[in-house]
Amino acid sequence: MKTPAWQRKEGKSPSGGLNAKGRASAKAEGMNLKAPVKSGDNPRRASFLARMAGNDGPEYKDGKPTRLLLSLKAWGANSKTEAKSKAAAISARNKAKK
């Protein structure tokens, strides 16, 4: 039996995260995944950036960006440091709006 597409290369986006086929296969297993929020002050984006900025692991391996860095770039950050500062800024703007 094959593993689900979200766990294989065909379900992963070359630019980071999952593609539509990967999200569809994850949904078939009961997961509820949404597409990345690439810009704006969405609280989901701030949460993702903060969470990923705290992950262990390198941004580059053998001179190539890792899946971690590719995912960060898909959500609008170019490094873990930038992701952390963007998450804080988005959260601050969202608090100020309330």
Side-chain angles (χ1 to χ4, degrees):
M1 186 171 138
K2 271 187 160 179
T3 57
W6 67 271
Q7 292 179 336
R8 295 190 318 268
K9 188 173 183 174
E10 68 186 66
K12 296 179 181 179
S13 170
S15 60
L18 299 175
N19 58 24
K21 185 174 185 174
R23 284 192 300 275
S25 74
K27 187 173 183 171
E29 292 194 348
M31 297 178 209
N32 183 22
L33 302 177
K34 299 175 184 175
V37 180
K38 297 181 185 226
S39 62
D41 287 347
N42 189 315
R44 198 170 126 246
R45 180 174 178 232
S47 175
F48 176 85
L49 290 172
R51 204 169 53 248
M52 293 300 280
N55 277 357
D56 289 337
E59 293 179 4
Y60 291 93
K61 185 174 181 180
D62 300 326
K64 296 180 182 178
T66 60
R67 299 289 302 169
L68 170 68
L69 185 58
L70 292 173
S71 293
L72 286 173
K73 286 183 177 186
W75 286 71
N78 292 316
S79 67
K80 288 198 271 186
T81 305
E82 184 180 351
K84 193 173 193 176
S85 64
K86 279 190 176 204
I90 292 168
S91 294
R93 285 194 299 269
N94 284 335
K95 272 189 179 178
K97 288 179 186 177
K98 290 183 179 182

